[in-house]
Amino acid sequence: MITNKKNIITILFALVAMAGWAQVNSVSTQILVIPDVHGRTFWKEAIVKYPDLPVVFLGDYLDPYAYENITQEDALANFKEILAFKQANMDKVTLLIGNHEIHYIDTYYKFGRKDTLNAEYIHQLLLEHLPLFSIASQAVLNDKTFLFTHAGIVGPWWNKYFPDTPTDATSICNALNGKMENMETFGAFIDDALMEISKMRRGEAEAGSCVWADLDEHKKKSAFLNGIYQVFGHTQLKRKPVIKKTFADLDCRKAFLITLKGDIKTIK
C-alpha cells in the first residue's frame, strides 16, 4: 500500500540504522518534550528558551484543528521547519512518528482533518525524510527510565506483537525502531500492528498500538510496563497534562521539561 523511492530510501534507512536510531540514552541534563504539534508553533518558543537541551517531539505534526485557525498550509510550513530543525541538530533532536504521519505514509488509510490537497506531496516528503524519525526513544534521568512514544505502549498490544521481547526500555526501542529498517518491513508493521485501534477510539482491536492507544487504556493495570515511566501525547487534553505514577500524557498544547530529578514541569 506504500509507494516509495526505494533506492534512495533504502540507503537512508541503512545510514540511520548504522547511527543507532537517534535514541536519547543516559543524560545529565534536562530534556525538552514537545507533545502533539498539529501546526502549532509553541515548540519554537520552547527551543529559544532552552537552546542547549535535547528535544523529543512526540509526533503528530500536521492536520490542525479548524477551531484553532491554523491552515493546512501553515501546518505544512511549520512541519518543514521542524524537519529543518532536526537536520540541523541530528544528535540533539528526536522526532517520533504519530498516527497522523502514518496515514500519509500509507495512503490506504483515511482519517478526519487529513490534508487531501497536499496529501501526495506530504507522502513524498515523509518518505524522503522518514529516516529522521523513530517510533520510540528512551532516556535515564536520576536512575529513572523514561520511554517516549506517540501514544504509549499498553500490555495487551505489546504481548500480541512482541511476546518474546523483554520489556526493558532498550529492548522495546530496538524492537520498535527495528521495524523501520526498510520500507517493506515498515509497511507490513503498519498494516499488521500500528493500525490497531481499540474500541475506545472507535476501532475493533483489543488494544491500541503505540501510535493509537487511548489515555484510558493506560489506566488499566494490564497496561503497565514495570520499571519504565512512559511519556506520550495523542489523547488531547483540555488544559492540563495527566501525570501519574507510571505515565504522563502531555498532549495539551504546551512544552514540558523533564528535570534532573526526573520530574515533569510545564514550560510557562
Side-chain angles (χ1 to χ4, degrees), residues 123-256:
H123 170 73
Q124 295 298 333
L125 185 68
L126 277 164
L127 289 182
E128 291 172 8
H129 292 85
L130 203 56
L132 300 180
F133 294 83
S134 53
I135 299 174
S137 184
Q138 65 167 309
V140 179
L141 274 167
N142 195 30
D143 295 325
K144 186 175 181 178
T145 300
F146 292 87
L147 177 67
F148 305 94
T149 58
H150 175 63
I153 297 172
V154 292
W157 179 81
W158 181 261
N159 293 333
K160 179 178 179 179
Y161 292 102
F162 299 93
D164 300 320
T165 303
T167 53
D168 61 278
T170 298
S171 297
I172 290 171
C173 288
N174 288 340
L176 290 173
N177 294 333
K179 295 297 184 179
M180 296 181 71
E181 64 184 359
N182 59 61
M183 291 305 302
E184 289 73 20
T185 299
F186 188 41
F189 188 55
I190 290 174
D191 294 334
D192 294 341
L194 285 185
M195 286 308 301
E196 289 279 78
I197 306 171
S198 76
K199 293 178 181 179
M200 291 182 181
R201 291 267 175 166
R202 291 177 289 183
E204 298 179 353
E206 176 189 1
S209 76
C210 59
V211 299
W212 266 110
D214 190 83
L215 172 60
D216 286 339
E217 294 182 66
H218 289 276
K219 297 176 181 178
K220 298 180 179 180
K221 188 175 182 180
S222 61
F224 300 155
L225 296 173
N226 292 330
I228 294 176
Y229 193 89
Q230 295 203 69
V231 178
F232 51 84
H234 182 60
T235 300
Q236 184 171 230
L237 306 167
K238 290 184 177 180
R239 293 184 180 181
K240 297 181 180 180
V242 172
I243 299 177
K244 301 292 185 179
K245 290 183 178 179
T246 57
F247 68 82
D249 177 359
L250 304 182
D251 185 12
C252 60
R253 301 164 295 282
K254 299 175 183 178
F256 293 84

Side-chain angles (χ1 to χ4, degrees), residues 87-131:
Q87 290 173 312
N89 300 275
M90 291 294 290
D91 295 334
K92 188 178 77 170
V93 178
T94 297
L95 299 182
L96 297 184
I97 201 161
N99 59 297
H100 280 266
E101 285 70 65
I102 295 298
H103 69 228
Y104 288 105
I105 294 168
D106 193 323
T107 57
Y108 173 79
Y109 298 103
K110 305 293 188 294
F111 293 99
R113 307 202 319 276
K114 186 172 183 176
D115 186 350
T116 54
L117 182 63
N118 296 303
E120 179 56 31
Y121 174 76
I122 295 170
H123 170 73
Q124 295 298 333
L125 185 68
L126 277 164
L127 289 182
E128 291 172 8
H129 292 85
L130 203 56

